[in-house]
Amino acid sequence: MFDPFRSFFLGVFWLHMLSYSVPFCLRMRKQPLAAVVSMLGITAIFQPYANVGEAGAWLSCLTLLSHTFEVSSTHRYTFPAVAVLLYTSLLGPAFHHLWLYAGSGNANFFYAITLVWNLALLIILTDAVYSVLRDEWEAERPEGKGKEVRQI
């Protein structure tokens, strides 16, 4: 039914990914590794089907930015995000089984748990990007090390 629009949808999806890569590369030009790891996180979040391999590759590459985690203790939401990842890792296969094999669930259960999975990945990505930007800010302004940043 949508075969004539396949190339259009592919083009829109590629433009969507490009709309993230250009701002990340421009903003994090002093730390290009952080931009690459952030883009890995974006691809893990926007996978059509949630998979552990893509998220695991990104989370393992996130350790390359450990210097930013040591400098700033700004990870306010890391524990809830990891708890939600564990929660969805347990409920995802259960909902999949209920939907496909037991016949007692429907696709909305599985879709909802993948949305929660992506929300947890997004929270971890937000914390990581904030810590990289905080690291840059503290390097430029050493007098602000350890102080809370408030938006005016």
Side-chain angles (χ1 to χ4, degrees):
M1 180 172 152
F2 294 110
D3 285 339
F5 299 104
R6 180 176 172 80
S7 59
F8 171 73
F9 286 135
L10 286 175
V12 168
F13 293 149
W14 280 109
L15 283 174
H16 181 250
M17 294 306 291
L18 182 68
S19 71
Y20 287 102
S21 63
V22 172
F24 274 143
C25 290
L26 289 177
R27 180 59 181 95
M28 298 181 194
R29 65 182 169 271
K30 293 180 183 174
Q31 297 187 21
L33 181 64
V36 170
V37 171
S38 299
M39 279 310 299
L40 282 173
I42 290 292
T43 57
I45 290 169
F46 287 113
Q47 286 292 318
Y49 298 105
N51 57 24
V52 179
E54 190 76 28
W58 170 58
L59 290 174
S60 65
C61 287
L62 200 59
T63 60
L64 295 172
L65 302 176
S66 62
H67 66 282
T68 63
F69 302 146
E70 294 169 359
V71 171
S72 62
S73 60
T74 56
H75 298 289
R76 298 172 288 196
Y77 305 113
T78 303
F79 177 73
V82 171
V84 169
L85 279 179
L86 291 174
Y87 170 77
T88 56
S89 297
L90 296 174
L91 281 182
F95 285 169
H96 185 266
H97 175 76
L98 287 174
W99 172 37
L100 291 180
Y101 300 112
S104 61
N106 60 20
N108 292 333
F109 292 159
F110 192 64
Y111 177 69
I113 206 69
T114 58
L115 284 179
V116 174
W117 169 267
N118 287 333
L119 177 68
L121 292 179
L122 183 65
I123 290 170
I124 293 173
L125 177 68
T126 304
D127 271 351
V129 168
Y130 181 76
S131 70
V132 167
L133 295 178
R134 177 69 190 221
D135 180 46
E136 283 185 11
W137 185 78
E138 287 181 358
E140 292 173 0
R141 297 172 183 87
E143 71 277 357
K145 238 179 209 188
K147 293 183 180 176
E148 187 173 334
V149 178
R150 294 191 181 259
Q151 184 177 3
I152 299 175

